Amino acid sequence: MSTENEGNAVPPAPSAPPVPVASPAASPQGGTPDAGATAQLPPVPPGPPGAPEQHPYGPGATQTYGAPEGAWPPPPPPHGTPGYGEAAGAGGAGGGWGAAYQQPAPKPAGGGRGGLIAAVLVAALVAGGLGGGLGYTLAKDNDGQGSTTVTAADNGASQVKRAPGTIAGVASKALPSTVTIEAESNSGEGGTGTGFVFDTQGHIVTNNHVVAEAVDGGKLSATFPDGRKYDAEVVGHAQGYDVAVVKLKNAPSDLKPLSLGNSDQVAVGDETIAIGAPFGLSNTVTTGIISAKNRPVASSDGSSGSKASYMSALQTDASINPGNSGGPLLNASGAVIGINSAIQSTSGGSFGSGQSGSIGLGFAIPINQAKYVAQQLIKNGKPVYAKIGASVSLEESTNGAKITDQGSGGAAAVEPSGPAAKAGLKPGDVITKLDDSVIDSGPTLIGEIWTHKPGDKVKVTYTRGGSQHTVDLTLGSRVGDS
């Protein structure tokens, strides 16, 4: 699940919810994005304006819960290309200037007063001409020696200050605690992602797919916005959650961890601020809102044989692109409410990279879940997953999560003495709800289970033989990715 998860087919959303297109594990380094061709405006037609011209541009798989694998999810359906149109026109001709010149009537003869008036008028004209001449001379003499622009008064302030609650205020406080991560494998492959300071000991939280290339002896570095760059090492990574923790080598003593919010209290419509390095452009800030909650999302890091990651995501329309992966999603107060991880995107690439960009559908791992995972990784070096102890179908469905007849590798579909077995669940049962959350497929069930911790008690609603049943179940645990 990447904001990023660049270039990979993202599993279609179970049922109604959209499932993001998976992008490659890391965004390209270097290079200048190609903005694409610029549409040319049509020439202005001569003569009277006419009407504006229009220019159109135009197999199912099974999975033992807690260890997702198999052919699911299937590739997303092709997306159509929206049309583009543009109109142009010309303005009308201007009218004539004033009326015809009228010859003044002849002045009456003689008269000293008339002569005096004439003299005064002549003097005024001479004075006016003299003033105009002086004005021109002064302007010419001062040309290039000054500015004709008007500068706002400083009012004694040495710099502009932004209130803490503004986007600029939040960004200025959060940016120093974010890093751009570069990961490189032994073979030289790798990419760029983002992370943020988790504690004063030098731990950085990011996505698993951002650091995946550097896990087995590769190179890893983190660069702060002020240019300070540190080598780093992977402390632990959780492929299923798509969360990883790295630690800076020779970490500085002035680290300021970002404050963590409460993702359970997030509401649709709340403002969001995303920080990352889209397409390698470090320290980029974008804004939006929470457009949906509890969105079931499954995606992969794009590597061969990679397994899917699952989350019940926060959906945002803040612009998120390849390279934003692992970066913080902040609320209006600057607290982290999620980790940017995946995007829904069109199938065609852009920017000259073959990668698709944001269409306003980004997904973040809720910080309450990510915090728990990060703490487990720092403590044990391995992730701990909650489980029900049953194998469920990963086929796309709208009816629920069906317990399969047989588990992975010939194992039993319902783990003997496991949580599901103790609750009386059997092969063929279809789970339709977990507590109050509707379950429409196996992947949705996995995402929801993983928002809980081992030992949590949940209420499971399922159907068997056309009848609906509800049982209480205590979640078990599994250590490490499998």
Side-chain angles (χ1 to χ4, degrees), residues 157-175 273 332-333:
S158 59
Q159 62 181 3
V160 178
K161 295 182 179 180
R162 272 86 179 183
T166 64
I167 294 173
V170 170
S172 65
K173 185 177 180 180
L175 275 168
I273 302 170
S333 300

Side-chain angles (χ1 to χ4, degrees), residues 319-340:
S319 184
I320 295 175
N321 287 287
N324 276 103
S325 287
L329 183 69
L330 311 172
N331 61 19
S333 300
V336 182
I337 55 174
I339 300 177
N340 301 317

